């Protein structure tokens, strides 16, 4: 939940979105620098001014647009999901506009989908089918079929047909039946009853870019802005709109517009593309070169009679690995085989850590050792055993990394991992840093934030038994001012958030004892006890089945929870909640949990289903689809459907959202396993709410298994 995700910020609305986008803009986004590249319109999608075009951005492009027109704002996040399919999430504000009170600002969320039916050819135009604001209240609801053709370098012509918002002027006819005029009451529900229904209008436009920087645009718009005119927001005097873009070398765009013959508009767009950024790193020092053995040295076993050789090799390997930030916890040395147990706190690309350890082994181990077995360990759990031949390292150092991958085995490390050396544990680490918790989409105040100081600590009692905690002190904020009436008819498992914020100062975010294990081959386990998150304490147990070479995994989690006191210190409170509006009491069940299935489809797409019982006692499933990149970037969406009706859930109808993972190494230029997880969630509600416990297994385990390790194998020799 936004505000309860440690290290996670939900970023959507104007101020929050711009902060994220300014980070994205720090890196070059598009390799395309010609004047023919697509521009984005006031809706933050490929288009002219208000009207869409059939242009498509490069695959995996992320674009963020902040647009202003006549007092209204539109903040849009656009993602090119696949080469032909794109989606947009938009958050808009319109002053003096409300369905009942005309002097109130209306805040509106909307989603778009676009699909390119035809790509542009020598004589054939590009053809795109689009659904605009097809989920929710439908304020900007409209569908379109649009074609765009490049006539000459920099010169493009566009024409299309529009329904809904895009059929307000000079109507050409009627679509497939009548179109409902009223707004839908249920957010997040596709407005399928409107698709391609009602009047049809035509729109057209022309753009000309004389060079890479400037682009001039004119369009004949079919959107008459009737809802806004009816409420006195705009006074439309013309169907002709005019625009001017200035495009920066990194792909960013600044635009000015004259719209409706009466309004002035402007927009600014940042773009980035995780697909073309490469795997983070490059500023770090180079790894050690492979030390090639002298001819015949591999047959010398004299070292096996020297009791000091193993200790000397262990010391040398540990020192060489430490220069790369890798921790060697133990080394088992045999006459022709060495098994090393490592921790990788530095490299986000697992293959880079493996490659550096392997090269260090060639420089520190006796010449007779031919087989290297590297076992990365996370929270005491051996993830996999990466097995290589020393002679392959010697022969292939200057070849493509794929050649080395073809000769490397990645197998389960269960039962073959040496214990850590004596004296390494216990370990203690701590940190003090600022924190921020955001709440978004409250119609009374779209952005609320708490900010303060967080102190965190961790004691690794043994490799797999970890005591950890976090304490926050709020310095400023307004999350405790959320006073909007609650429409949920479920137990208040999350909607007491304002009171937790108000009374929890200082607050113990979590204080847990976690135990991790490998109970069997291909099986991983976790048991977490204590104050699990800001609102709940208790016990959480999880087991995961994940073969090391498989794209598929299964997991199960069961939780026994007790509601924490509002001050978020050491006490608990009743599991019976009271609706402040109606006085109705509802009980929160103590037990919840899920079974989960995970699958990597290939081409970077990953799916996850979590089915079971949620905190409020509702039963259902969360479906998540992510597009993942080898450099650690992820872009995804999720939706949760339970047996709680839309009416019982309240505003928003069901839980859904977008999520992004941005590796900090992309901006640092040096290796790092740190990342920023951003969740754009519709609202904090009770339905579909899940316990927010640390240390879930799947993301820890998959990094070092073959499907994921292979994605970053290009950095094995780096």
């Amino acid at each position: 939940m936004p505000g309860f995700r440690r290290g996670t910020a939900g970023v959507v609305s104007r101020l929050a979105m711009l902060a994220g986008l300014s980070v994205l803009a720090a890196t070059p986004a598009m390799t395309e620098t010609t004047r023919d590249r697509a521009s984005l319109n006031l809706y933050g999608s490929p288009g002219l001014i208000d009207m869409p075009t059939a242009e498509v951005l490069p695959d995996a492009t992320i674009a963020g647009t902040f647009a202003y027109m006549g007092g209204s704002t539109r903040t849009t996040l656009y993602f090119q999901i696949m080469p032909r399919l794109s989606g947009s999430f938009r958050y808009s504000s319109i002053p003096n506009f409300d369905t009942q009170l005309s002097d109130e600002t209306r805040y509106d969320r909307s989603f778009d989908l676009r699909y390119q039916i035809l790509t542009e050819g020598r004589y054939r135009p590009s053809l795109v089918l689009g659904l605009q604001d097809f989920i929710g209240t439908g304020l900007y609801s409209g569908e379109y079929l649009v074609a765009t053709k490049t006539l000459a370098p920099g010169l493009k012509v566009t024409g299309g047909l529009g329904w809904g918002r895009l059929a307000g002027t000079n109507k050409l006819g009627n679509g497939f039946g009548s179109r409902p005029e009223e707004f839908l009451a249920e957010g997040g529900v596709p407005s399928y009853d409107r698709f391609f229904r009602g009047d049809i209008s035509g729109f057209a436009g022309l753009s000309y870019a004389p060079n890479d920087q400037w682009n001039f645009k004119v369009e004949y718009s079919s959107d008459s802005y009737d809802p806004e005119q009816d409420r006195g927001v705009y006074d439309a005097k013309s169907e002709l709109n005019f625009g001017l873009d200035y495009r920066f070398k990194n792909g960013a765009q600044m635009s000015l517009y004259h719209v409706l013959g009466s309004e002035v508009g402007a927009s600014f767009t940042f773009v980035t593309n995780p697909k073309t950024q490469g795997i983070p790193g490059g500023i770090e020092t180079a790894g050690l070169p492979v030390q090639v053995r002298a001819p015949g040295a591999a047959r010398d076993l004299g070292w096996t009679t020297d009791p000091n050789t193993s200790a000397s090799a262990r010391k040398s390997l540990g020192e060489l690995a430490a220069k790369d930030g890798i921790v060697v916890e133990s080394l088992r040395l045999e006459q022709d085989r060495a098994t090393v147990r490592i921790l990788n706190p530095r490299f986000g690309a697992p293959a880079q850590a493996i490659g550096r350890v392997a090269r260090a082994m060639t420089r520190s181990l006796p010449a007779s050792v031919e087989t290297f077995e590297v076992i990365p360990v996370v929270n005491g759990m051996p993830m996999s055993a990466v097995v290589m031949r020393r002679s392959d390292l010697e022969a292939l150092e200057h070849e493509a990394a794929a050649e080395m991958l073809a000769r490397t085995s990645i197998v389960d490390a269960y039962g073959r991992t040496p214990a850590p050396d004596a004296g390494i544990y216990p370990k203690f680490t701590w940190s003090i840093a600022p924190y921020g918790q955001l709440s978004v989409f409250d119609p009374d105040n779209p952005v609320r934030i708490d900010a303060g100081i967080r102190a965190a600590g961790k004691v690794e009692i043994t490799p797999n038994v970890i005591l950890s905690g976090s304490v926050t002190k709020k310095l400023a904020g307004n999350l405790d001012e959320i006073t909007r009436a609650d429409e949920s008819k479920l137990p208040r498992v999350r909607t007491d958030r304002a009171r937790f914020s108000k009374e929890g100062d200082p607050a113990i975010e979590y204080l847990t004892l976690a135990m991790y294990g490998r109970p069997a081959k291909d099986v991983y386990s976790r048991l977490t006890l204590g104050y699990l998150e800001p609102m709940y304490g208790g016990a959480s147990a999880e087991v995961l089945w994940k073969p090391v070479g498989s794209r598929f995994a299964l997991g199960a989690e069961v939780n026994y929870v007790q509601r924490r006191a509002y001050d978020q210190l050491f006490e608990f409170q009743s599991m019976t909640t009271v609706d402040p509006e109606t006085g109705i009491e509802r009980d929160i069940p103590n037990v919840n949990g899920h079974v989960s299935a995970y699958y990597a489809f290939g081409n970077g797409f990953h799916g996850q289903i979590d089915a079971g019982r949620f905190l409020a006692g509702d039963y259902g499933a969360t479906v998540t689809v992510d597009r993942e990149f080898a450099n650690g970037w992820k872009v995804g969406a999720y939706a949760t459907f339970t047996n709680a009706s839309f009416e019982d859930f309240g505003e928003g109808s069901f839980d859904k959202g977008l999520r992004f993972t941005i590796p900090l190494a992309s901006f640092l230029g040096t290796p790092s396993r740190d990342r920023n997880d951003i969740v754009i969630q519709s609202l904090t509600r009770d339905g579909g709410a899940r316990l927010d416990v640390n240390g879930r297994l799947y993301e820890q385990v998959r990094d070092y298994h073959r499907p994921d390790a292979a994605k970053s194998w290009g950095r094995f020799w780096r």
Side-chain angles (χ1 to χ4, degrees):
M1 305 301 115
F4 293 128
R5 296 179 184 270
R6 294 174 285 277
T8 300
V11 181
V12 190
S13 186
R14 292 170 290 178
L15 297 177
M17 178 73 82
L18 285 176
L21 296 177
S22 63
V23 175
L24 295 178
T27 56
M30 300 169 62
T31 57
E32 182 185 17
T33 58
T34 69
R35 56 184 178 170
D36 286 321
R37 69 187 182 199
S39 64
L40 283 83
N41 62 11
L42 280 164
Y43 283 96
S45 296
L48 295 161
I49 296 96
D50 248 355
M51 297 296 103
T53 64
E55 297 169 290
V56 175
L57 297 182
D59 183 34
T61 295
I62 300 172
T65 299
F66 177 74
Y68 171 90
M69 187 185 80
S72 299
T73 64
R74 298 173 190 157
T75 302
T76 305
L77 191 61
Y78 172 98
F79 180 51
Q80 194 67 40
I81 303 168
M82 292 188 288
R84 295 194 182 201
L85 179 67
S86 65
S88 301
F89 168 75
R90 184 177 307 103
Y91 194 55
S92 307
S93 70
I94 306 174
N96 304 318
F97 184 105
D98 190 87
T99 54
Q100 295 178 350
L101 301 175
S102 61
D103 60 345
E104 291 192 2
T105 297
R106 182 183 183 92
Y107 297 99
D108 187 76
R109 302 182 299 273
S110 56
F111 295 86
D112 300 352
L113 278 179
R114 291 166 47 98
Y115 182 76
Q116 187 181 41
I117 300 172
L118 298 174
T119 58
E120 184 173 357
R122 183 175 181 182
Y123 302 108
R124 180 186 65 221
S126 172
L127 186 65
V128 164
L129 181 70
L131 300 176
Q132 179 174 289
D133 191 6
F134 73 101
I135 292 179
T137 59
L139 176 61
Y140 290 121
S141 174
E143 303 79 51
Y144 56 86
L145 183 67
V146 60
T148 298
K149 184 74 180 75
T150 302
L151 303 179
L155 180 62
K156 302 174 186 177
V157 63
T158 292
L161 298 174
W163 289 257
R165 282 292 299 235
L166 305 182
T169 61
N170 298 315
K171 298 175 176 52
L172 302 176
N174 193 274
F176 304 101
S178 60
R179 188 181 189 92
E181 295 183 0
E182 70 279 1
F183 292 141
L184 297 177
E186 297 172 341
V189 180
S191 50
Y192 53 84
D193 59 336
R194 299 183 177 199
F195 292 170
F196 302 100
R197 295 188 179 185
D199 296 325
I200 305 172
S201 293
F203 59 89
L206 192 70
S207 67
Y208 177 63
N211 52 45
D212 288 352
Q213 285 75 46
W214 296 100
N215 187 31
F216 300 90
K217 302 183 290 188
V218 60
E219 70 178 15
Y220 177 84
S221 173
S222 58
D223 186 351
S224 60
Y225 281 82
D226 286 340
E228 289 84 355
Q229 289 201 80
D230 291 344
R231 292 165 174 81
V233 179
Y234 299 133
D235 181 16
K237 297 179 179 179
S238 173
E239 290 85 15
L240 288 178
N241 298 330
F242 301 90
L244 173 64
D245 301 332
Y246 181 81
R247 301 183 290 198
F248 299 87
K249 289 184 179 180
N250 68 350
Q253 173 187 314
M254 182 179 292
S255 303
L256 294 174
Y257 308 105
H258 187 259
V259 186
L260 301 175
S262 59
E263 303 295 339
V264 174
S267 68
F268 193 79
T269 297
F270 294 112
V271 294
T272 192
N273 192 319
K275 183 178 179 180
T276 60
Q277 284 192 0
I279 295 178
I283 298 178
E284 72 272 18
T285 57
L288 294 167
V290 173
Q291 182 169 297
V292 180
R293 294 168 291 183
R299 293 191 294 273
D300 182 6
L301 298 177
W303 66 271
T304 58
T305 61
D306 183 353
N308 296 320
T309 301
S310 291
S312 176
R314 165 67 179 86
K315 182 175 183 293
S316 176
L317 178 59
E319 291 174 349
L320 292 175
K323 292 179 180 179
D324 288 322
I326 299 169
V327 179
V328 173
E329 287 201 329
S330 64
L331 172 68
R332 183 170 61 218
L333 195 60
E334 304 167 63
Q335 67 179 25
D336 63 350
R337 188 182 191 92
T339 302
V340 59
R341 173 189 177 121
I342 68 165
L343 300 179
N344 169 33
R346 183 185 184 197
F347 294 97
Q352 188 170 8
I354 300 297
R356 295 212 170 192
V357 170
R359 280 173 284 171
M361 293 173 77
T362 68
R363 309 184 71 83
S364 57
L365 302 185
S368 68
V369 178
E370 169 64 11
T371 301
F372 293 169
E373 187 171 348
V374 180
I375 300 178
V377 175
V378 179
N379 288 332
M381 299 179 292
M383 297 289 104
S384 62
V386 184
V387 184
M388 298 160 280
R389 294 175 60 222
R390 187 175 190 165
S391 54
D392 289 334
L393 290 165
E394 295 171 336
L396 300 175
E397 182 180 15
H398 302 294
E399 303 296 327
E403 294 290 332
M404 191 65 209
L405 177 61
R407 303 190 190 190
T408 299
S409 298
I410 303 179
V411 298
D412 196 336
Y414 178 75
R416 57 199 296 165
T417 309
D421 294 339
I424 294 180
Y425 294 91
K427 294 181 184 179
F428 173 66
T429 56
W430 63 276
S431 65
I432 297 178
Y435 80 92
Q437 296 177 339
L438 282 168
S439 172
V440 294
F441 297 136
D442 179 353
D444 294 333
N445 190 337
V447 179
R448 296 182 187 272
I449 186 170
D450 279 355
I453 298 295
R454 172 186 287 124
K458 179 171 69 171
V459 180
E460 297 173 75
I461 302 170
T462 69
N464 64 324
V465 178
I466 300 169
L467 177 66
S468 61
S470 171
V471 178
T472 60
K473 170 59 181 175
K474 184 169 70 172
L475 300 179
N478 60 354
L479 290 184
D480 56 350
E481 297 176 7
I482 299 175
T483 58
R484 195 158 180 269
D486 176 31
E487 300 172 7
S488 172
K489 296 180 177 62
L490 299 169
R492 297 174 62 86
V493 296
R494 291 298 186 196
T495 50
D496 281 336
R497 178 181 184 181
R499 188 168 177 183
F500 275 89
S501 175
K502 182 177 182 178
E503 298 188 25
D505 184 24
I508 299 172
E509 282 190 303
Y510 66 97
L511 180 60
T512 60
L513 180 69
M515 291 156 278
Y516 298 88
R518 291 294 314 271
K521 184 178 183 294
D522 299 329
V523 179
Y524 305 79
S525 65
R526 171 186 61 82
L527 175 63
T528 307
L529 308 173
Y531 302 99
L532 302 173
E533 53 141 282
M535 296 180 72
Y536 296 93
S540 174
E542 181 186 8
V543 63
L544 176 74
W545 174 80
K546 173 70 170 69
V548 73
S550 175
R551 296 174 179 268
F552 179 67
L554 286 173
E557 176 182 296
V558 61
N559 308 301
Y560 180 88
V561 299
Q562 184 69 36
R563 200 172 188 226
R564 295 180 60 188
Y566 292 118
D567 63 8
Q568 297 169 66
L569 294 178
F570 295 102
E571 296 182 353
F572 293 93
Q573 63 174 304
S574 170
M575 294 290 278
T576 299
T577 67
V578 180
D579 190 314
E581 299 295 320
T582 63
I584 296 176
E585 294 185 351
R586 299 184 178 93
D587 292 331
I588 302 174
N590 292 105
V591 179
N592 61 76
H594 294 76
V595 293
S596 303
Y598 313 85
Y599 190 75
F601 292 99
N603 196 30
F605 286 92
H606 185 276
Q608 177 177 337
I609 298 177
D610 304 290
R613 192 186 199 190
F614 292 87
L615 280 170
D618 47 333
Y619 290 87
T622 299
V623 180
T624 305
V625 178
D626 293 304
R627 186 171 181 188
E628 305 174 339
F629 302 91
N631 52 21
W633 283 72
K634 298 180 185 179
V635 181
Y638 75 90
T640 299
F641 303 95
T642 76
N643 61 343
S645 68
F646 291 167
E647 292 76 14
D648 287 347
F649 183 91
E651 183 177 350
S653 301
F654 61 93
D655 186 34
K656 65 264 183 198
L658 306 174
R659 62 184 197 174
F660 303 83
T661 295
I662 303 174
L664 296 188
S666 292
F667 311 107
L668 300 175
T670 57
S672 172
R673 293 190 66 80
D674 292 333
R675 67 187 198 181
N676 188 18
D677 294 320
I678 301 171
V679 179
I680 299 178
Q681 191 176 28
S682 58
L683 287 169
T684 301
R685 308 300 293 177
D686 297 317
R690 193 175 179 186
L691 188 71
D692 188 19
V693 63
N694 277 333
R696 286 192 168 110
L697 294 171
Y698 181 69
E699 290 300 325
Q700 299 183 61
V701 170
R702 63 182 297 209
D703 268 1
Y704 295 96
H705 284 196
R706 188 176 184 92
D708 280 66
K711 291 192 300 186
S712 66
W713 202 263
R715 295 195 68 83
F716 180 84
W717 294 118
R718 297 296 299 271

